[in-house]
Amino acid sequence: MQSLSTFEERLSVWTTNAMRSVFDLADTEVHLGVSPTNNEKFGDYQCNAAMELARALKKAPRQIAQEFVEAAELPDFVEKIEIAGPGFINFFLTNAALSEYVQALESDPHLGVEQVGEGKTVVIDYSSPNVAKPMHIGHIRSTVIGNAIDRLFRFRGFNVIADNHLGDWGTQFGLMLIGFRNFADEAALKEAPVEELERIYVASYNRSKEDETWRDQAKAELVKLQQGDAENRALWEKFIELSIEEFNTIYERLDVHFDLYRGESFYNDRLPGMIQLLEEKGLAKESDGALIVDLEEDGMPICIVRKSDGGFNYATTDLATVEARVEEFSPDRIIYVTDERQQLHFRQFFSISKKLGMEANLVHVWFGLMRLPEATFSTREGNVIKLAALLDEAEARALEMVKKSSPEMSEEQQKDLAKAIGIGAIKYTDLSQNPQSLVTFTWEKALNMEGNSAPYLQYAYARISSVYDKYHVQYPDMELSDHPIHIEQAIERKLAVKLTRFPTAIQSAAENYRPNILADYLYDLAQIYSSFYQNVPFLKAEEGVRESRIRLCRVTAKVLKQGLSLLGIETRERI
Ligand code: ARG
């Protein structure tokens, strides 16, 4: 089947061509296409070109609109066209075209989403916690937001490489090595490895502040590690293994999966070459014994690429990483997801990589840190919250809700449902806000059954599914496909129009790296569905109308399920 193009695209092509044939617009830059209206009173799409063309055409906008409407011949999917206000041109789609489109959605595995990524690779660098340290709130947000972006790109046909760029290299490993040999508690390591590794590090660090010999020993151990000493290497690998194992239990619960776990150390061998390249291109220069790249012309502070002690920096590793990724994957773009505090770092190495002529489209998606009001988490320490405990609490609270709403369910079902709701609630809170605005987490909001929350959408989905089930029980012999979708009532129409906009919501969420655009869409859709459900009869409607509505229901359920799954949120048919 030919891919479904959206009404927005079809209409935009049409208005652009029609404008050009009615007026002489040889070299105009004005956008001649349409955009969705936000009030159905003004039709389904609007074109604002008349206002913007007024100066070039030396005519009043309304007159331009008038001439356009009189001269243009409407495409068959447009019912009528109206002029409003200062010169908006409003388009009303025909019910037949809407019906047909929604019916096509029903059988399209991509739900109308264009496979623009076919043949293209995107590397997404997200989560990326540091070995031997607990994930902080920034890593958690990176995991949830990065994973939604990952899913959105895959759904659009991109070959996505999800790469967990672990912080597994650096001077701290000298302290870790001697700390481990002196302070490690085997039992604690089994119980909570990362926590124990962190404790060891802190103890070793504190000792180094008072004890010069300790400091020197740590340095010596680091040098041995860097030179490939077998024993130190093995221990360092153990730190990584223990950390990844623990991170994985969290990824498992969050249903997050990586294609690669290439830590910073993976790029070590490339660092001297990168320095050489920077020097050859005349980009790096000595300054106080260090090697730096001057970024003054880009309005940024200098970037140190090699410290005076010969060690390399975070930026050097990131440059080598870009080089390696470009070589190996020829990606269409590389997307990095971190908290706002790293903006300068990314701007700096993006700019250097451009100067080096590296062919890569680099994107930094940053987000603010979530505010955790005091007393929200019993498990909170500073910026570090114990994620496992947070997820446990979410599931426990969800289980209370489920026990009340679905007392007839078996305990096993209740737990399964509570897991979907609890984890969904945490993710949705993160994803439903503009990533760059300050988010305050509260349990009331996350688990609010009436508001913009995961449970609200999950319940909406289950209610839709149950309508469909009831229909099957009452009319077991009906073939839905014998009855076409037929949009008539205003509220049906509103629902259909919203469904046709799913592809646009996906595109916009992905291209702006803002999953909240999709979350908003799904919330609106669920609300429109609920007024549809309350205002028209379903099972009691006459034959034909009934089937059409059931099919409309089914498409709504499909879109909701798919949309939530792109946010990494699970749905259940029964709640
Ligand atoms: N490990 C870093 C941190 O915890 C994040 C790494 C982000 N990715 C990158 N390529 N720099 O802050």
Side-chain angles (χ1 to χ4, degrees), residues 125-131 133 136 138-139 142 163-168 262 264 267 314-315 317-319 321-322 325 334-339 341-342 345-346 349 364:
D125 175 323
Y126 67 96
S127 192
S128 309
N130 301 318
V131 162
K133 278 195 194 154
H136 61 62
H139 297 123
S142 169
D163 190 1
N164 197 338
H165 190 76
L166 299 166
D168 63 355
R262 285 194 183 159
E264 293 175 19
Y267 306 95
Y314 188 35
T317 306
D318 261 320
L319 286 167
T321 307
V322 174
R325 285 172 174 162
I334 306 177
I335 302 166
Y336 302 82
V337 187
T338 80
D339 70 55
R341 295 171 302 183
Q342 297 197 27
H345 163 70
F346 282 96
F349 89 81
H364 182 211

Side-chain angles (χ1 to χ4, degrees), residues 407-446:
E408 74 295 345
M409 269 187 191
S410 74
E411 204 176 318
E412 200 183 329
Q413 270 179 313
Q414 287 178 331
K415 280 206 175 121
D416 167 70
L417 185 55
K419 183 171 164 255
I421 293 178
I423 305 285
I426 297 281
K427 288 190 179 183
Y428 192 84
T429 308
D430 213 336
L431 294 170
S432 56
Q433 325 266 344
N434 179 345
Q436 303 188 346
S437 69
L438 186 74
V439 176
T440 304
F441 182 94
T442 65
W443 287 111
E444 291 65 45
K445 216 161 60 183

Side-chain angles (χ1 to χ4, degrees), residues 337 347 357 498 572:
V337 187
R347 281 190 15 238
K498 192 73 191 173
R572 296 288 183 268

Side-chain angles (χ1 to χ4, degrees), residues 218-233:
K219 257 191 212 137
E221 293 303 328
L222 180 66
V223 172
K224 272 166 72 187
L225 173 68
Q226 286 165 341
Q227 289 168 346
D229 170 82
E231 228 172 273
N232 278 7
R233 213 80 209 158

Side-chain angles (χ1 to χ4, degrees), residues 467-479:
V467 171
Y468 186 63
D469 287 350
K470 277 191 203 127
Y471 172 79
H472 270 293
V473 171
Q474 271 189 40
Y475 304 95
D477 301 323
M478 279 297 223
E479 257 327 315

